[in-house]
Amino acid sequence: MKEGQPQNIQRSEYTAPSHLIETTDLVVDINEDITTVKSVLKMSKNPAAESKAGSQDLVLDGGQDLETISIKVDGRELSSNEYSIEGEKLSLFDVPESFQLETSVAIKPQENTTLEGLYKSGGMFCTQCEAEGFRHITWYLDRPDVLSKFRTTVHANKKDYPILLSNGNDIERGEEGERHWVTWEDPFNKPAYLFALVAGDLECVEDQFTTMSGRDVKLQIFSEAHNIDKVGHGMTSLKNSMKWDEEAYGREYDLDIFMIVAVESFNMGAMENKGLNIFNTSCVLARPDTTTDAGYQRVEAVVGHEYFHNWSGNRVTCRDWFQLSLKEGFTVLRDQQFSAAMGSETVCRVNDVATLRAAQFPEDAGPMAHPIRPDSYIEINNFYTATVYEKGAEVVRMIRTILGENKFRLGTDLYFDRHDGQAVTTEDFVCAMEDANEINLEQFRRWYSQAGTPVVDALGEYDAEARTYTLTLAQSCPATPGQKNKQPFHMPITVGLLSSTGDDQALSITGDVIANKIRSASGEESVVLNFTQDKESFVFTDVPEAPVPSILRGFSAPVKLEYPYTRDDFMFLMSHDSDGFNRWEAGQRLAINVIQEMIANLQQAKAQPVEQSADIAVDQRLISAFASVLDQAIAAGKDPSFDRAMVAEMLILPSESYLAELMDVVDVDAIHQARERVRLEIATRLRPQLMTIYELCEGGYTYEATGSEIGRRDLRNIALSYLMQQGDDESVALCRKQFETAICMSDTAAAIRAVVNSSADAAVIVKSDLLETFYNRWENEALVIDLWFTMQAVCPLPGTLDTVKDLMAHPAFTLNNPNRLRSLIGAFAGQNNVNFHSVDGSGYEFLASQIIAVDAINPQIAARILGPLTRWGNYDTKRQALMKEQLNRILATENLSNNVFEIVSKSL
Ligand code: BES
Ligand code: ZN
């Protein structure tokens, strides 16, 4: 139960800060028991503030964890009637127009389990200040629109903490007996959330980058000694990011040094602190034998993302936290573009869209649905959501699609130019796009204020006589909390028309509806339609024959598209569409279509008075579609230029989560059964092809994280997982052999995962042996042990919850490390649909108990693993009741955090 009513903060209530902080001078004296923080702030009244009549008070933010030692104004210690401390606010009465505020506080970072503010991770001290962590270090105006120049001196014991880091340049250092100190100065104005400090016994790999204007930048990646052999890929990714941002956005790095520190206990993936990024080890470390290919790609994306924030986030920052998507949505788009440039564009797009559908669509359809620029929050940490990030990226991407590449660049140039050094709003971003291009985005702005995933219904009509093709689009958007009726969105819909031979037809269209024409390298044509009405018809002229339309190419808008395609249409598009994304999409839709029919049959059979065996025969068109995908890969032989990653994507059936998202009442068991049935059919019918692929894609003896090598391994491992679907001795032997001879973690993990997920006798016999061998080999590699927990937690076989409970008692398990917690509990609740949603409610009860336990340690993480419980609205009445029972149990817990309270109460 919550004591007192938590405050709901409204976007509409924004007011400028009462005071400004010109300079911030910190002296942090780190000790094992008590750390003191002395802060000297040069402050003055903000001329832009609405002056509340007569009020000369200053209210600072702090945490309950600050023990205030002294407060001085212009050198004079304040007496107790000149200030008051109430909860998390320090009020100073009647301060001068401008003055120097000096405070001294004591904190205990070693006891800080929230991993926010200053805390201890392993043997090192580090900080996490976004969003509101700085107030747990010292009294401050902890809001993103108060920008200040920071100078930081860190003192600590020399032996345990030889490395002392903060933002900017180190300008001075010294020693005092067993202790030493370093002073850092950051020449750039920044809000407190970008402050960072690290003290530890760290090793460092150093490199160098020359910027486009010829400046040399020192690059350093720090980690504990046992991990320093895993920072090379992060360094390569950093240099690639710096180069890419210069070329794609004209953005040059600004300091003479850029540092990254890898820490083991971190709530998020990584943080963009000015000049001193702090990374979760999982997002920066990589070594072939310990890290999967997906891990390599994640490191590249996250290093890029945090680096790109230097412009989109740091140089131009947010006015308030409602504007979070200004930096996060835009920066996610930038990291997506970067990953696409480093690898396969289509594969990246497919993965981005798959993430959006699996994580953001459900959020947009659930009780926590909010616009990418929310209107209110209780706890800002709950709004680092798939909506703000992923949908936010889609919204900026749509602006790019509407404007085209070149005009978009004019827009970003103006945005960075105009707002460098400022704290701004998403509105400022859109204005820059408009002003640079003389375009009106008035209606487009609704994407920032309306929540929910729009549905687009499309219909095509060919008139042979007039040689016209009319594409009629209708849009609607479901109601979301607080938003019943929606206004139509401005959507860019990218369209191509395929002739009967599968070629793109030349496109001409009547009316002023085209945003821009896209011609691909090979000459195919698409148009971007500006779709702005509830219902609108687009008439293509000079169309020689009835086309098959390819709509929403590249997934040009984050919507659900409906078009009455037949299964034969899907097969046609799968093999002919010039748009890679839509080729993949056609395959997915074909599979969805087939699986949904099987699910319906399963449900019908179950509903019979005497349960009947369902007709769940698999439509053979799906099998032949998969066969031709495999045949192409076989025909390519060992040709290194063939895109095997794309073939691998084509062979992955839509996820159980996405299939669930598409159902009105989710039937986890039927989804699982039908999908597994299709997998078995593919495995059985296409065994020779799968075996050929498996052999053809065998690799050499050195690991490379190149797109083509990753694609080869992906394809081979997908073939292996299909082969294992039959659970035969031969396939189990292949797994064993691959497990024993693998030179990289992708291959090791794929082999062991296939065995763990199998209930076949041959697999069951070797399972525990492989798991034990794996554990013993990697006992000392935390990130690999995380994988070990996850592969057991996501196993769909019955009995997994008991395994998970046993694993909680494993000596390597702890609730205190977010990576470990997520690897077991998060993975079970988020990725193991059949077991988590077990109809006896045991999965729900388990998760609720863990949330209650974790909330007392780390509220941010507790709130993040809550997600699966809040989606009760999508399930049958029995499960709904069980889930709500657990949500109520959580709500009744004493001393519940605001984080968990907000999500549970809003979801009920
Ligand atoms: N600024 C965030 C980190 C952050 C998030 C700090 C929430 C405090 C609260 C950072 O830039 C970020 O977005 N990191 C992502 C990874 C990224 C590749 C999307 C993360 O940590 O998951
Ligand atoms: Zn970010």
Side-chain angles (χ1 to χ4, degrees):
M1 204 91 93
K2 283 247 30 108
E3 285 172 42
Q5 224 12 36
Q7 252 201 27
N8 213 335
I9 299 163
Q10 309 287 336
R11 180 168 61 86
S12 58
E13 285 170 10
Y14 172 84
T15 52
S18 66
H19 291 76
L20 302 176
I21 308 177
E22 195 179 315
T23 59
T24 300
D25 220 312
L26 301 171
V27 179
V28 183
D29 197 349
I30 294 177
N31 295 284
E32 297 307 319
D33 47 358
I34 284 185
T35 292
T36 59
V37 182
K38 289 199 181 108
S39 135
V40 179
L41 311 179
K42 203 171 151 198
M43 304 194 74
S44 58
K45 209 163 182 297
N46 179 9
E50 296 162 36
S51 58
K52 284 188 210 109
S55 167
Q56 295 292 338
D57 293 356
L58 165 65
V59 182
L60 296 158
D61 307 298
Q64 309 272 12
D65 35 12
L66 299 185
E67 195 202 313
T68 306
I69 301 168
S70 83
I71 306 170
K72 291 180 189 168
V73 169
D74 289 330
R76 187 179 63 81
E77 181 94 37
L78 297 190
S79 60
S80 60
N81 62 348
E82 291 174 291
Y83 70 91
S84 79
I85 297 178
E86 268 161 46
E88 306 183 330
K89 301 279 175 206
L90 164 62
S91 308
L92 305 183
F93 311 132
D94 255 339
V95 292
E97 282 283 309
S98 57
F99 59 98
Q100 182 169 297
L101 174 66
E102 211 179 322
T103 63
S104 173
V105 300
I107 51 178
K108 293 183 177 168
Q110 70 281 3
E111 291 174 10
N112 178 358
T113 59
T114 65
L115 313 188
E116 186 182 36
L118 180 62
Y119 65 94
K120 220 169 167 189
S121 165
M124 68 174 114
F125 288 88
C126 62
T127 54
Q128 171 54 39
C129 294
E130 188 178 1
E132 298 178 337
F134 192 74
R135 61 187 63 186
H136 297 283
I137 298 176
T138 187
W139 292 109
Y140 207 73
L141 290 176
D142 189 8
R143 42 187 290 170
D145 57 352
V146 172
L147 282 73
S148 180
K149 280 204 174 61
F150 281 68
R151 171 201 282 259
T152 309
T153 303
V154 190
H155 295 253
N157 170 311
K158 228 182 327 187
K159 188 171 123 288
D160 300 322
Y161 310 101
I163 302 290
L164 305 175
L165 309 173
S166 191
N167 317 84
N169 306 306
D170 55 332
I171 53 168
E172 225 186 323
R173 58 181 65 226
E175 308 205 350
E176 308 151 331
E178 293 189 337
R179 298 177 67 78
H180 69 150
W181 56 271
V182 181
T183 298
W184 292 82
E185 193 175 65
D186 183 353
F188 290 91
N189 261 330
K190 66 164 174 289
Y193 85 85
L194 291 172
F195 169 81
L197 174 162
V198 171
D201 187 359
L202 304 173
E203 296 207 351
C204 164
V205 164
E206 200 169 307
D207 208 323
Q208 200 261 138
F209 181 81
T210 306
T211 70
M212 59 189 189
S213 73
R215 276 189 313 103
D216 286 342
V217 180
K218 178 157 86 177
L219 311 177
Q220 293 181 313
I221 303 187
F222 293 87
S223 79
E224 289 173 291
H226 66 276
N227 280 328
I228 202 68
D229 56 346
K230 305 184 194 76
V231 303
H233 178 61
M235 186 63 89
T236 305
S237 303
L238 175 59
K239 289 186 286 184
N240 288 339
S241 308
M242 296 178 85
K243 182 121 186 60
W244 182 84
D245 210 16
E246 292 185 347
E247 286 165 359
Y249 282 88
R251 298 293 120 197
E252 186 176 357
Y253 187 62
D254 47 15
L255 286 162
D256 298 330
I257 177 169
F258 187 89
M259 298 173 280
I260 289 178
V261 180
V263 306
E264 287 220 331
S265 291
F266 199 74
N267 284 343
M268 301 292 293
M271 177 65 209
E272 70 265 26
N273 319 298
K274 184 78 188 188
L276 177 56
N277 286 190
I278 297 185
F279 272 62
N280 188 320
T281 46
S282 72
C283 291
V284 62
L285 302 180
R287 202 177 69 189
D289 57 337
T290 60
T291 312
T292 62
D293 291 330
Y296 267 78
Q297 289 171 325
R298 171 102 179 131
V299 167
E300 182 176 76
V302 182
V303 167
H305 178 97
E306 306 310 337
Y307 173 74
F308 302 143
H309 269 315
N310 192 53
W311 275 97
S312 49
N314 301 3
R315 295 282 294 242
V316 182
T317 196
C318 300
R319 186 192 71 173
D320 56 71
W321 292 120
F322 295 103
Q323 317 300 327
L324 186 58
S325 202
L326 173 80
K327 74 176 178 82
E328 294 303 348
F330 184 25
T331 305
V332 169
L333 173 71
R334 278 152 58 66
D335 82 53
Q336 290 176 350
Q337 290 178 283
F338 169 62
S339 294
M342 295 294 115
S344 154
E345 189 172 338
T346 310
V347 172
C348 285
R349 190 65 188 132
V350 160
N351 284 318
D352 297 340
V353 174
T355 309
L356 187 82
R357 285 172 170 165
Q360 199 275 328
F361 280 17
E363 189 169 270
D364 234 353
M368 283 290 289
H370 53 276
I372 66 166
R373 183 191 56 203
D375 291 315
S376 74
Y377 61 77
I378 293 176
E379 171 55 60
I380 183 55
N381 282 309
N382 286 334
F383 283 82
Y384 286 75
T385 58
T387 298
V388 166
Y389 274 68
E390 262 65 46
K391 188 175 180 180
E394 293 298 323
V395 170
V396 182
R397 184 186 286 265
M398 282 191 284
I399 298 181
R400 177 164 150 268
T401 304
I402 290 169
L403 294 176
E405 198 73 51
N406 296 339
K407 290 183 173 182
F408 180 69
R409 173 65 192 273
L410 292 178
T412 59
D413 281 353
L414 178 62
Y415 168 73
F416 287 126
D417 241 35
R418 191 186 264 180
H419 297 297
D420 191 9
Q422 299 177 357
V424 303
T425 63
T426 55
E427 179 57 27
D428 292 317
F429 182 84
V430 177
C431 284
M433 290 292 155
E434 289 181 322
D435 294 350
N437 295 293
E438 287 169 27
I439 180 183
N440 184 336
L441 293 171
E442 200 47 50
Q443 185 184 354
F444 185 85
R445 283 173 169 77
R446 288 178 189 154
W447 285 106
Y448 287 90
S449 57
Q450 297 188 143
T453 308
V455 177
V456 173
D457 275 298
L459 269 181
E461 209 183 329
Y462 181 64
D463 182 336
E465 212 146 290
R467 289 165 59 96
T468 58
Y469 178 76
T470 306
L471 183 67
T472 302
L473 303 176
Q475 59 168 302
S476 61
C477 183
T480 48
Q483 296 185 337
K484 210 157 156 234
N485 299 308
K486 316 282 169 116
Q487 301 287 301
F489 292 92
H490 174 182
M491 308 175 177
I493 307 285
T494 306
V495 176
L497 300 180
L498 273 66
S499 70
S500 53
T501 54
D503 299 313
D504 276 312
Q505 306 191 358
L507 302 173
S508 50
I509 192 166
T510 54
D512 181 24
V513 289
I514 296 183
N516 67 83
K517 261 196 183 187
I518 302 173
R519 194 178 288 274
S520 75
S522 40
E524 294 89 2
E525 244 182 37
S526 305
V527 289
V528 181
L529 303 174
N530 277 309
F531 173 37
T532 56
Q533 313 290 313
D534 283 322
K535 192 170 178 182
E536 213 170 338
S537 288
F538 300 90
V539 182
F540 294 86
T541 53
D542 280 328
V543 184
E545 58 172 331
V548 177
S550 170
I551 312 170
L552 210 67
R553 281 184 162 173
F555 200 68
S556 61
V559 301
K560 296 182 183 177
L561 172 70
E562 309 279 356
Y563 180 90
Y565 286 117
T566 63
R567 288 185 189 173
D568 290 328
D569 289 337
F570 287 137
M571 294 187 64
F572 178 76
L573 288 166
M574 243 180 119
S575 44
H576 297 295
D577 201 323
S578 63
D579 182 68
F581 176 83
N582 266 2
R583 268 200 313 277
W584 172 79
E585 179 76 346
Q588 292 289 296
R589 287 188 174 219
L590 175 60
I592 289 167
N593 215 288
V594 169
I595 293 171
Q596 281 177 335
E597 185 183 48
M598 293 167 67
I599 291 172
N601 290 343
L602 279 167
Q603 289 180 323
Q604 223 168 41
K606 224 172 156 188
Q608 299 297 322
V610 179
E611 191 172 327
Q612 300 189 349
S613 67
D615 171 22
I616 49 169
V618 181
D619 184 336
Q620 293 304 305
R621 280 176 289 188
L622 181 60
I623 306 303
S624 42
F626 270 58
S628 63
V629 171
L630 285 170
D631 287 341
Q632 277 174 38
I634 293 170
K638 288 187 178 284
D639 176 2
S641 69
F642 181 74
D643 191 353
R644 287 179 187 79
M646 197 56 216
V647 173
E649 293 293 350
M650 302 281 301
L651 295 175
I652 299 173
L653 294 174
S655 68
E656 290 185 12
S657 307
Y658 185 45
L659 290 164
E661 214 279 315
L662 296 171
M663 279 183 97
D664 290 331
V665 179
V666 180
D667 185 338
V668 279
D669 299 312
I671 289 173
H672 182 68
Q673 213 182 323
R675 191 177 181 276
E676 289 298 293
R677 178 72 187 80
V678 175
R679 283 179 53 82
L680 182 63
E681 185 80 3
I682 292 167
T684 316
R685 298 283 314 274
L686 305 177
R687 188 167 180 97
Q689 289 97 318
L690 290 164
M691 200 56 98
T692 305
I693 291 280
Y694 185 76
E695 284 157 9
L696 196 60
C697 292
E698 186 168 354
Y701 295 101
T702 51
Y703 176 85
E704 278 179 283
T706 56
S708 100
E709 277 291 278
I710 291 175
R712 177 186 63 71
R713 283 187 290 271
D714 269 355
L715 181 54
R716 185 165 192 256
N717 286 326
I718 279 165
L720 181 66
S721 84
Y722 273 115
L723 289 168
M724 263 304 285
Q725 199 73 16
Q726 287 180 288
D728 56 297
D729 293 0
E730 188 190 10
S731 306
V732 175
L734 283 184
C735 288
R736 271 210 90 126
K737 183 163 166 240
Q738 177 165 324
F739 179 79
E740 279 153 15
T741 58
I743 59 156
C744 67
M745 185 47 78
S746 268
D747 290 346
T748 312
I752 189 167
R753 214 178 275 134
V755 173
V756 169
N757 288 345
S758 172
S759 59
D761 291 344
V764 173
I765 302 169
V766 296
K767 211 176 273 192
S768 52
D769 186 27
L770 292 194
L771 282 168
E772 195 183 315
T773 310
F774 186 94
Y775 184 85
N776 291 335
R777 163 118 199 253
W778 299 113
E779 200 173 0
N780 298 316
E781 293 290 348
L783 298 170
V784 184
I785 297 304
D786 288 340
L787 260 178
W788 182 80
F789 278 107
T790 298
M791 58 182 114
Q792 298 178 77
V794 301
C795 170
L797 300 177
T800 297
L801 179 56
D802 290 329
T803 310
V804 170
K805 287 180 175 168
D806 288 346
L807 285 170
M808 301 246 335
H810 192 281
F813 187 76
T814 167
L815 288 180
N816 287 307
N817 178 287
N819 289 356
R820 191 54 50 86
L821 192 161
R822 281 186 282 250
S823 77
L824 188 61
I825 301 167
F828 174 76
Q831 296 171 53
N832 195 336
N833 292 358
V834 269
N835 280 298
F836 175 66
H837 291 285
S838 163
V839 73
D840 64 5
S842 54
Y844 308 146
E845 208 219 307
F846 168 74
L847 182 62
S849 301
Q850 301 317 317
I851 286 165
I852 291 167
V854 174
D855 194 43
I857 302 170
N858 186 331
Q860 274 187 43
I861 299 295
R864 282 188 171 273
I865 55 174
L866 245 174
L869 263 185
T870 64
R871 311 268 153 75
W872 55 267
N874 304 341
Y875 293 84
D876 52 87
T877 46
K878 184 155 184 210
R879 287 186 173 87
Q880 289 200 1
L882 290 165
M883 291 166 98
K884 283 196 271 189
E885 184 188 327
Q886 295 306 321
L887 287 168
N888 279 309
R889 178 159 81 95
I890 296 172
L891 202 59
T893 308
E894 258 177 74
N895 297 322
L896 205 62
S897 68
N898 276 352
N899 307 56
V900 170
F901 172 78
E902 176 170 32
I903 296 185
V904 175
S905 58
K906 285 187 178 168
S907 75
L908 274 169

